[in-house]
C-alpha cells in the first residue's frame, strides 16, 4: 500500500467552506462538530470498562495508557502543591515559568534540541498542543500530509482547523514507514504541512536517523511545516533509537512544532499535561488562543509535571524493560495464530497486526467480514478489547496495546486464539 487511494475520516467537513445547502432549521449540532468521528480508541475503552463494571472479566488491549502508577515522587510533589496557595490562583496561560525552564532542560537532555522557554507552551495534554498548532498554522483548504495508519485525533484536529488531511499509506511490508517518494506523490501546491511521529501510534514504527534526515530535508525543500509528535520518545526497544526531526535536520526547526507530554513517559495520562515547542511567534499565537480557550493548565498538574521532567529517567527505564518483555511475548503469541501477521514494533507500546488472513473465515459461528466486525466479536464473545484498523484509516488490522500485566496479556491473546480456532461457536 502506498500513497494512492486517500481515505479521509471526518470527510464530511469542508474546512469552513460552505456546501451551498440551505441550513436545516432543526439542526442542533454544527456541521463542523457533527462531522467529527468519535475517538474510536476511547469508545472501545469506555465499552470495555462498562462491561467490566457489570462483572465481565474483559481484558483490555485497547487503551493508550501505561498500566503503571505515576511515580510516588511525582504524586508527592502534587500533594505539596495542593497546599500552596499560589497554586490556588490563575497562573500564566502558557505555563508556569519554572516548568517551561525544566521542559527546555529536559528536551536538551533527551533529544538534544536546544530551546528557550519562550519557545514552549504548556497545554492540557499533547492533544491540546496539536489542536492549537493546527489552529495556529492552517488556513481553509491547506493540505496536510498524514502518514497512515495514523492516530485518529490527527485528521479530526486538522479538519477542525480547516485543513484537509491527505493520508499516505504504508503497510507491514515497509514496517509501516513512509518514504520520501510516497510523500512526494501526495504533495501538491496546496500542501503546507507534514505530520510526523516516530515512534508512531498505532504501529510502533520507529524511523532511522537516515530516514528522518531524508524526510526532514524533503519538508525543508518544500517549505512545509512539520509537526513532530514525540510523545513516545522514551519507548524504543532493541537497537532502535529515537531521533528528533529538528535535531537531525536543524534547517527544519524554524518551521517545526514539537509535541510532547508527560502522559506516556511518566505514566501520567490522567494529569493532562503536554507541551509544544515552536518558534516564538507561533508560541505567542497558540498562547493567545489558549488564553481564551482554557487559560492555564491546572497548577497542581503542572507542579507534578515539573517533578517528573526534572527527575531522572529511572521510572521510565523500568517501564521500558517491562514493556519490552511484553512486546516480545505478544508478537510471538499473535504470530502463532493462523491468519494473523504481526511485525515486531520497535517503539511505543502497541502492536499493529494484520488480520487480513482472517477475513472471510468463521469464528464462534459468525463470519468475520472486516477487522471492525472482528473487534466487536472479540469484545462480546471472547471478552477481549482491541482497536480495529478502521480507526486508524487502514481496515484489515488490529491494534493491541501491550501496556498491561504479563498475566493478562498472555490470557488475552490465548482467548483470541481459542475464539479464532473455534469456527462453529
Ligand atoms: N500523540 C500521540 C501519537 C498519542 O498517541 C497521544 C495519546 O494517545 C497523544 C499525542 C496525546 O497525548 P495526551 O493528550 O494524553 O498528552
Amino acid at each position: 500500500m502506498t500513497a494512492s487511494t486517500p481515505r479521509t475520516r471526518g470527510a464530511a467537513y469542508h474546512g469552513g467552506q460552505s456546501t451551498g445547502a440551505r441550513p436545516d432549521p432543526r439542526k442542533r449540532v454544527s456541521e463542523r462538530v457533527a462531522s467529527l468521528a468519535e475517538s474510536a480508541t476511547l469508545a472501545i475503552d469506555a465499552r470495555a470498562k462498562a462491561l467490566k463494571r457489570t462483572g465481565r472479566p474483559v481484558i483490555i488491549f485497547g487503551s493508550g495508557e501505561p498500566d503503571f502508577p505515576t511515580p510516588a515522587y511525582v504524586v508527592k510533589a502534587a500533594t505539596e502543591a495542593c497546599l500552596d496557595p499560589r497554586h490556588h490562583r490563575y497562573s500564566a496561560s502558557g505555563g508556569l515559568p519554572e516548568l517551561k525552564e525544566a521542559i527546555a532542560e529536559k528536551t536538551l537532555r533527551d533529544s538534544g534540541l536546544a530551546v528557550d522557554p519562550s519557545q514552549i507552551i504548556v497545554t492540557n495534554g499533547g492533544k491540546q498542543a496539536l489542536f492549537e498548532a493546527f489552529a495556529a498554522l492552517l488556513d481553509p483548504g491547506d493540505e496536510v500530509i498524514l502518514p497512515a495508519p495514523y492516530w485518529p485525533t490527527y485528521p479530526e484536529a486538522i479538519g477542525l482547523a480547516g485543513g484537509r488531511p491527505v493520508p499516505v499509506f504504508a503497510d507491514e511490508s515497509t514496517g509501516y514507514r513512509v518514504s520520501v517518494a510516497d510523500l512526494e506523490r501526495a504533495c501538491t501546491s496546496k500542501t503546507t504541512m507534514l505530520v510526523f511521529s516516530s515512534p508512531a501510534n498505532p504501529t510502533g514504527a520507529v524511523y532511522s536517523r537516515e530516514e528522518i534526515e531524508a524526510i526532514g530535508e524533503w519538508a525543508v525543500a518544500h517549505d512545509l511545516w512539520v509537526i513532530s509528535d514525540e510523545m513516545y520518545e522514551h519507548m524504543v526497544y532493541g537497537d532502535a533509537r529515537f531521533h528528533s526531526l529538528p535535531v537531525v535536520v536543524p534547517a527544519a526547526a524554524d518551521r517545526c512544532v514539537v509535541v510532547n507530554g508527560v502522559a506516556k513517559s511518566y505514566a501520567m495520562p490522567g494529569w493532562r499535561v503536554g507541551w509544544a515547542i515552536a518558534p516564538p511567534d507561533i508560541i505567542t499565537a497558540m498562547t493567545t488562543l489558549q488564553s481564551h480557550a482554557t487559560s492555564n493548565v491546572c497548577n497542581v498538574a503542572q507542579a507534578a509535571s515539573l517533578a517528573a521532567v526534572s527527575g531522572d529517567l529511572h521510572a521510565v527505564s523500568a517501564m521500558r524493560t517491562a514493556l519490552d518483555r511484553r512486546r516480545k511475548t505478544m508478537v510471538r503469541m499473535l504470530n502463532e495464530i493462523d491468519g494473523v501477521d504481526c511485525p515486531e514494533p520497535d517503539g511505543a507500546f502497541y502492536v499493529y497486526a494484520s488480520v487480513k488472513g482472517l477475513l472471510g473465515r468463521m469464528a464462534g459461528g459468525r463470519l468475520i467480514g472486516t477487522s471492525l466486525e472482528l473487534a466487536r466479536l472479540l469484545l462480546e464473545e471472547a471478552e477481549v478489547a482491541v482497536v480495529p484498523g478502521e480507526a486508524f484509516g487502514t481496515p484489515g488490522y488490529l491494534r493491541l496495546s501491550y501496556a498491561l500485566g504479563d498475566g493478562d496479556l498472555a490470557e488475552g491473546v490465548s482467548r483470541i486464539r481459542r475464539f479464532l480456532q473455534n469456527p462453529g461457536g
Side-chain angles (χ1 to χ4, degrees):
M1 226 186 307
T2 56
S4 57
T5 52
R7 279 168 280 172
T8 7
R9 290 153 50 78
Y13 178 55
H14 299 276
Q17 292 148 18
S18 163
T19 58
R22 271 163 59 98
D24 175 355
R26 291 158 308 167
K27 180 171 73 88
R28 290 163 69 83
V29 177
S30 71
E31 209 183 308
R32 185 189 304 111
V33 171
S35 74
L36 287 177
E38 184 186 17
S39 164
T41 47
L42 292 186
I44 299 231
D45 202 45
R47 172 84 185 119
K49 282 178 180 159
L51 283 175
K52 251 189 142 155
R53 275 196 299 277
T54 67
R56 291 181 58 182
V58 179
I59 293 181
I60 303 181
F61 289 119
S63 104
E65 56 187 355
D67 60 316
F68 305 92
T70 300
Y73 69 91
V74 173
V75 177
K76 183 163 174 280
T79 315
E80 284 164 12
C82 279
L83 298 170
D84 181 349
R86 187 169 65 97
H87 290 313
H88 303 171
R89 318 203 63 85
Y90 290 128
S91 60
S93 294
L96 296 175
E98 58 272 37
L99 177 55
K100 290 200 209 184
E101 295 268 356
I103 291 170
E105 280 170 29
K106 169 245 166 289
T107 304
L108 186 61
R109 176 193 68 186
D110 296 344
S111 79
L113 185 67
V115 293
D116 187 80
S118 64
Q119 291 173 258
I120 295 170
I121 178 171
V122 180
T123 55
N124 284 284
K127 270 189 182 166
Q128 191 181 21
L130 287 163
F131 268 80
E132 289 175 357
F134 293 134
L137 295 172
L138 295 176
D139 281 314
D142 285 352
E143 292 182 359
V144 179
I145 294 183
L146 185 58
Y150 47 68
W151 180 52
T153 292
Y154 294 138
E156 306 302 340
I158 292 165
L160 267 185
R164 197 172 85 78
V166 177
V168 172
F169 294 96
D171 65 12
E172 58 276 28
S173 65
T174 62
Y176 302 109
R177 298 190 307 278
V178 296
S179 66
V180 164
D182 297 332
L183 299 174
E184 184 62 41
R185 275 194 292 277
C187 194
T188 74
S189 58
K190 293 190 182 148
T191 307
T192 63
M193 181 184 279
L194 165 72
V195 174
F196 182 76
S197 184
S198 170
N201 176 6
T203 60
V206 180
Y207 287 72
S208 70
R209 196 177 199 290
E210 292 70 31
E211 288 167 330
I212 295 177
E213 188 170 22
I215 290 173
E217 284 175 356
W218 174 83
V220 171
H222 288 272
D223 221 8
L224 302 183
W225 280 97
V226 178
I227 304 289
S228 179
D229 185 332
E230 303 184 356
M231 290 297 295
Y232 296 92
E233 63 178 337
H234 290 298
M235 271 96 200
V236 282
Y237 313 104
D239 295 335
R241 293 287 169 270
F242 162 75
H243 297 284
S244 174
L245 187 142
V247 174
V248 175
V249 183
D254 188 48
R255 285 174 75 79
C256 183
V257 181
V258 170
V259 172
N260 206 334
V262 294
K264 319 287 176 182
S265 298
Y266 301 97
M268 296 176 69
W271 298 78
R272 308 310 305 133
V273 177
W275 56 86
I277 299 172
D281 56 332
I282 306 305
I283 292 298
T284 303
M286 290 170 70
T287 307
T288 304
L289 176 58
Q290 181 157 303
S291 72
H292 294 296
T294 55
S295 304
N296 63 276
V297 173
C298 166
N299 292 328
V300 172
Q302 289 197 69
S305 302
L306 175 61
V309 299
S310 322
D312 62 27
L313 293 170
H314 257 87
V316 184
S317 152
M319 265 199 303
R320 191 174 40 237
T321 303
L323 289 170
D324 190 15
R325 185 181 63 240
R326 298 170 188 175
R327 170 184 76 116
K328 289 181 181 144
T329 308
M330 183 174 259
V331 170
R332 181 180 47 75
M333 289 185 74
L334 281 172
N335 279 326
E336 282 165 9
I337 304 175
D338 180 36
V340 177
D341 178 11
C342 183
E344 189 171 271
D346 289 322
F349 42 70
Y350 313 100
V351 299
Y352 203 62
S354 166
V355 290
K356 285 176 275 189
L358 293 169
L359 305 184
R361 290 195 196 173
M362 298 292 289
R366 311 270 285 276
L367 177 73
I368 306 170
T370 63
S371 44
L372 180 64
E373 283 166 21
L374 175 57
R376 285 197 186 125
L377 282 173
L378 286 173
L379 183 54
E380 302 303 334
E381 308 291 330
E383 297 178 319
V384 171
V386 299
V387 189
E390 281 81 350
F392 310 103
T394 56
Y397 297 82
L398 296 179
R399 186 192 80 172
L400 287 85
S401 162
Y402 46 88
L404 76 172
D406 298 73
D408 275 357
L409 187 151
E411 167 60 17
V413 183
S414 300
R415 283 187 199 173
I416 296 175
R417 196 193 56 236
R418 283 199 296 272
F419 176 71
L420 292 170
Q421 282 175 349
N422 172 21

